[in-house]
Amino acid sequence: MEQVLVLKDVCKSYPGFTLDHVSFQVPRGSIMGFIGENGAGKTTTIKLILNEIKRQGGNISVFGLDNQKDERKIKEQIGVVLDEGFFFMDMTPKDIAKVMRSIYRSWEDSLYSRYLREFQLPENKTIKEYSKGMKMKLSIATALAHRPRLLILDEATSGLDPVMRSEILDIFLDFIQDEDHSILLSSHITSDLEQIADYITFLHQGKVVFSCSKDDLLQQYGVMKCSAADYEKLDRSDIVGSRQNRFGWEVLVSDQKRCRRKYPHIVIDPTTLDEIMLYYVKGNMAPEKE
């Protein structure tokens, strides 16, 4: 399978934080969900991919090209949408087109106008008159109007209402329909990723916890609900994280099939990306038996 984006052992250090040998790949024609708690290093990773900051170790390739040596050629073929936006508030969509026309050789005015119509974005209004959802749609229209092969999106659906998020997710699904386009989507809204992502990369404290198929992930992990007495009998190697409540214990396990065979009398429920993150980040790691 062709990989459009490959990170291998990428490192970057700041005082109090280290991005530690981050490795993952985005296959062509897929959506990679990029998750992790605030401060995990997701935005730092995206800035490294875009060569906005310099890596201190490892390699990053996009379309088989080095992201530093071939930066101009790569950026002609990618679209980027950042949560904070990058437009001057007094600009109109027409003003944006004038600027982008001079940046991208592949910019298409007709395609840009089509997206503006589809997204119901008035061309003569200034950006400061747009709602947050409209601004995000404008960012996406701008990113798509030069026909990129790869979209890199940082919190592109955050702060939007469910209807607006659903519309934007449909846009992303349409983008990859020909199986030649790909998306790296960083998001805290894991329910969105459960709807559209093919793969998930989970970054925690600057390290990759896993990078794998979303469907495999949700099939493998499960939440075991047990009494305090049963919890004490569990093999600690089966436990990823655990939390105590007034009814007993809830335990995240990474191999629910094996645990069902091993503990047939204990209930094991399917899990979500939200729960997996929660147990890794906030769940008490299983204490050793005395």
Side-chain angles (χ1 to χ4, degrees):
M1 186 180 296
E2 181 186 348
Q3 308 296 330
V4 298
L5 173 63
V6 178
L7 284 79
K8 186 174 182 182
D9 295 326
V10 174
C11 300
K12 179 69 177 180
S13 292
Y14 295 103
F17 175 77
T18 298
L19 200 68
D20 189 3
H21 293 85
V22 167
S23 299
F24 65 88
Q25 306 177 88
V26 179
R28 181 171 61 88
S30 71
I31 297 177
M32 171 67 78
F34 195 29
I35 65 174
E37 74 276 16
N38 288 332
K42 302 188 302 300
T43 298
T44 297
T45 302
I46 288 174
K47 288 181 177 179
L48 287 166
I49 294 168
L50 299 175
N51 201 32
E52 292 184 4
I53 55 177
K54 300 297 182 183
R55 61 183 184 267
Q56 293 165 322
N59 298 287
I60 300 174
S61 66
V62 188
F63 315 123
L65 304 171
D66 182 272
N67 79 313
Q68 293 180 346
K69 295 177 183 176
D70 301 297
E71 180 178 4
R72 184 179 294 271
K73 188 181 292 187
I74 288 170
K75 286 187 174 177
E76 184 70 33
Q77 302 177 72
I78 64 174
V80 180
V81 177
L82 305 176
D83 179 37
E84 63 266 24
F86 56 88
F87 302 128
F88 291 112
M89 291 295 102
D90 289 326
M91 295 179 76
T92 67
K94 287 185 176 181
D95 296 327
I96 291 168
K98 291 177 185 177
V99 174
M100 294 300 169
R101 200 179 298 133
S102 65
I103 295 174
Y104 292 106
R105 289 175 297 176
S106 55
W107 176 267
E108 292 187 21
D109 282 325
S110 59
L111 182 59
Y112 181 61
S113 295
R114 193 189 90 195
Y115 281 124
L116 293 182
R117 290 193 302 272
E118 287 183 7
F119 299 166
Q120 298 181 331
L121 299 174
E123 292 188 49
N124 296 314
K125 279 192 174 183
T126 60
I127 309 306
K128 63 186 176 187
E129 297 177 86
Y130 277 20
S131 67
K132 179 164 185 176
M134 293 168 72
K135 289 175 186 174
M136 186 56 65
K137 281 187 172 182
L138 178 60
S139 295
I140 293 169
T142 305
L144 292 173
H146 68 282
R147 297 194 181 277
R149 294 170 58 194
L150 171 66
L151 276 181
I152 298 177
L153 308 159
D154 191 10
E155 298 297 338
T157 59
S158 67
L160 304 181
D161 64 67
V163 174
M164 188 71 72
R165 291 208 329 267
S166 178
E167 290 180 13
I168 289 175
L169 295 182
D170 286 342
I171 294 165
F172 297 158
L173 288 173
D174 286 342
F175 178 74
I176 64 157
Q177 280 308 303
D178 63 0
E179 298 185 358
D180 193 44
H181 296 85
S182 311
I183 296 177
L184 174 66
L185 173 56
S186 169
S187 180
H188 285 110
I189 307 175
T190 55
S191 58
D192 287 351
L193 298 179
E194 287 180 9
Q195 288 184 56
I196 68 169
D198 300 292
Y199 301 93
I200 299 292
T201 295
F202 176 26
L203 198 63
H204 175 48
Q205 296 180 348
K207 296 182 180 181
V208 173
V209 177
F210 52 70
S211 185
C212 59
S213 159
K214 177 203 68 183
D215 291 342
D216 289 347
L217 183 69
L218 296 179
Q219 286 172 10
Q220 289 171 7
Y221 281 78
V223 175
M224 179 185 294
K225 297 179 179 179
C226 60
S227 66
D230 283 333
Y231 177 78
E232 289 303 314
K233 298 174 184 176
L234 297 179
D235 184 339
R236 289 319 188 239
S237 66
D238 292 326
I239 301 174
V240 174
S242 56
R243 293 190 303 162
Q244 191 171 21
N245 57 41
R246 57 183 179 147
F247 302 109
W249 285 85
E250 293 184 350
V251 180
L252 181 70
V253 296
S254 59
D255 190 338
Q256 59 169 300
K257 288 183 179 178
R258 182 184 68 193
C259 288
R260 281 197 174 97
R261 292 193 300 269
K262 207 167 177 180
Y263 313 106
H265 63 291
I266 297 178
V267 173
I268 302 178
D269 291 332
T271 189
T272 64
L273 292 178
D274 241 6
E275 287 178 321
I276 292 171
M277 276 186 59
L278 180 64
Y279 279 98
Y280 267 105
V281 176
K282 292 291 187 180
N284 301 318
M285 293 309 293
E288 293 296 323
K289 291 181 180 179
E290 295 181 359

